[in-house]
Every structure is written in structure tokens, then in C-alpha cells.
């Protein structure tokens, strides 16, 4: 009889642990199943950015509207100080890097304004298991005022603002002697 009571207590404890594990307690490591959505949106993030002066920039996206070598439309552009403190623009997939200038920063800010990307500030909503070209798209821009514009969503490979960012950056690289972001000539 003692074993029966002990078994019931252990079974009750296991059921309680399983119940809270499945419904009540949040896990620190996210194991999102395919099709599951992670939403960490900051609904209090400002939707207006006062500053116009970019101090750092990072945009990661896939675009389907530009033809690249080996059909690789993934891009990761970063503008940040290099190891010597020089503000440098780079594209990590193609290992490009050049010192940035005010013309480029103003052109990128113009795209941000044109598409009112500040309205997306604070959004973090990503669905797992989508095709590679529809997975994570990220933008993070810091300004001289200390303001920050950041969001992460599922990528739309035909999104106009990403295409315009690409055009601004590829034209800027070309004007500075780097044609690696241009399509191969036939």
C-alpha cells in the first residue's frame, strides 16, 4: 500500500511538471517548430526618428529582382567604424569594404524616409520554416542623436525598400571602383 501512495505522488508530480512545462513555464531556449512564429515586438518603440544623420547601418535581406552570380540574392550590408575608427561600408557575403561617405549615408536615409521605415521600428516577428528567400530580413540604423531604428521580419524577396537599398549601395560601390554587385555581362 505504501508503494501505491508513493507511485501516485510521483505520478502527480510528473503530471504537474509536464503541465507547467507544456503550458505555464517559458523556456529560455526557443525551439520554434516549422511554421511557428516568434514575436518579440517592442510596441513602445518610437515610430518617428528625428535625426537624419546615420552613424551606423546594418541591413540583411534577400532580393529576387537583381541577377547575381550563381543566383545568390542574399545581402548583408554594414556601415560601422573599422578597427582604425574609419566609418566603412561592407557587404559580408562578397567580402567588400570601402570607407563610407556622407553622400551614401544621405542616400540611405532618403530611402528610410521614402518608405517611412520608422513605422516598423521595434517589430520582431519571424516565422520559422519558410523558404530561404523568405526567412529573416533585418534593419538596424543608429543615429547621431542616439535614436535607433531596428526591425526584423520575414523577408519579402520583392520588397521595394530592400531593392532600393541594394540599388543605392551597388551604384555607390560601382562609383568607387567596385563592380562586384553588378550582374555578370553575357
Amino acid at each position: 500500500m505504501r508503494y501505491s501512495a508513493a507511485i501516485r505522488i510521483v505520478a502527480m508530480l510528473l503530471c504537474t511538471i509536464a503541465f507547467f512545462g507544456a503550458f505555464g513555464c517559458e523556456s529560455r531556449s526557443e525551439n520554434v517548430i516549422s511554421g511557428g512564429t516568434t514575436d518579440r515586438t517592442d510596441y513602445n518603440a518610437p515610430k518617428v526618428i528625428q535625426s537624419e544623420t546615420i552613424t551606423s547601418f546594418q541591413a540583411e535581406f534577400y532580393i529576387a529582382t537583381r541577377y547575381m552570380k550563381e543566383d545568390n540574392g542574399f545581402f548583408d550590408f554594414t556601415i560601422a567604424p573599422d578597427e582604425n575608427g574609419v566609418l566603412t561600408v561592407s557587404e559580408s557575403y562578397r567580402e567588400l569594404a570601402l570607407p563610407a561617405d556622407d553622400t551614401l549615408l544621405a542616400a540611405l536615409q532618403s530611402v528610410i524616409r521614402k518608405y517611412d521605415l520608422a513605422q516598423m521600428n521595434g517589430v520582431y516577428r519571424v516565422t520559422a520554416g519558410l523558404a530561404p528567400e523568405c526567412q529573416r530580413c533585418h534593419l538596424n540604423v543608429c543615429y547621431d542623436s542616439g535614436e535607433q531604428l531596428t526591425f526584423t521580419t520575414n523577408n519579402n524577396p520583392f520588397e521595394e525598400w530592400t531593392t532600393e537599398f541594394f540599388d543605392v549601395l551597388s551604384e555607390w560601390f560601382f562609383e568607387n571602383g567596385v563592380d562586384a554587385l553588378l550582374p555578370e555581362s553575357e
Side-chain angles (χ1 to χ4, degrees):
M1 190 75 168
R2 283 189 301 184
Y3 292 113
S4 171
I7 290 174
R8 277 187 275 188
I9 291 173
V10 169
M12 217 171 9
L13 284 171
L14 289 174
C15 287
T16 303
I17 290 170
F19 176 80
F20 284 112
F23 300 108
C25 298
E26 205 174 288
S27 172
R28 287 286 173 206
S29 64
E30 286 187 35
N31 293 323
V32 178
I33 60 169
S34 184
T37 299
T38 301
D39 188 343
R40 292 189 214 125
T41 299
D42 176 3
Y43 294 99
N44 296 318
K47 303 302 182 196
V48 174
I49 304 294
Q50 299 297 323
S51 180
E52 295 280 312
T53 307
I54 295 173
T55 57
S56 70
F57 174 94
Q58 199 268 329
E60 188 177 1
F61 52 82
Y62 175 94
I63 55 175
T65 58
R66 299 296 180 269
Y67 301 103
M68 297 304 301
K69 299 172 186 169
E70 300 173 15
D71 196 33
N72 183 357
F74 291 97
F75 299 95
D76 183 6
F77 292 102
T78 301
I79 301 174
D82 67 7
E83 62 277 351
N84 299 318
V86 176
L87 196 61
T88 302
V89 59
S90 61
E91 199 291 316
S92 64
Y93 291 111
R94 288 151 190 89
E95 298 179 0
L96 306 175
L98 289 173
D101 61 28
D102 291 338
T103 303
L104 175 62
L105 298 175
L108 293 171
Q109 180 57 29
S110 177
V111 174
I112 291 168
R113 248 189 340 271
K114 177 179 178 181
Y115 292 98
D116 197 13
L117 296 180
Q119 291 302 306
M120 296 285 293
N121 198 19
V123 171
Y124 186 105
R125 193 174 305 114
V126 179
T127 301
L130 299 177
E133 64 272 10
C134 296
Q135 291 183 16
R136 184 179 182 268
C137 171
H138 177 73
L139 179 67
N140 184 27
V141 184
C142 295
Y143 293 89
D144 64 346
S145 62
E147 295 170 290
Q148 185 172 0
L149 167 60
T150 186
F151 62 85
T152 303
T153 61
N154 292 324
N155 190 71
N156 173 351
F158 300 98
E159 188 75 58
E160 290 180 20
W161 65 266
T162 58
T163 301
E164 199 156 335
F165 273 150
F166 175 80
D167 289 345
V168 165
L169 287 152
S170 65
E171 288 170 20
W172 181 86
F173 270 106
F174 180 71
E175 289 168 1
N176 287 279
V178 177
D179 65 358
L181 294 172
L182 299 179
E184 282 189 48
S185 57
E186 305 218 4

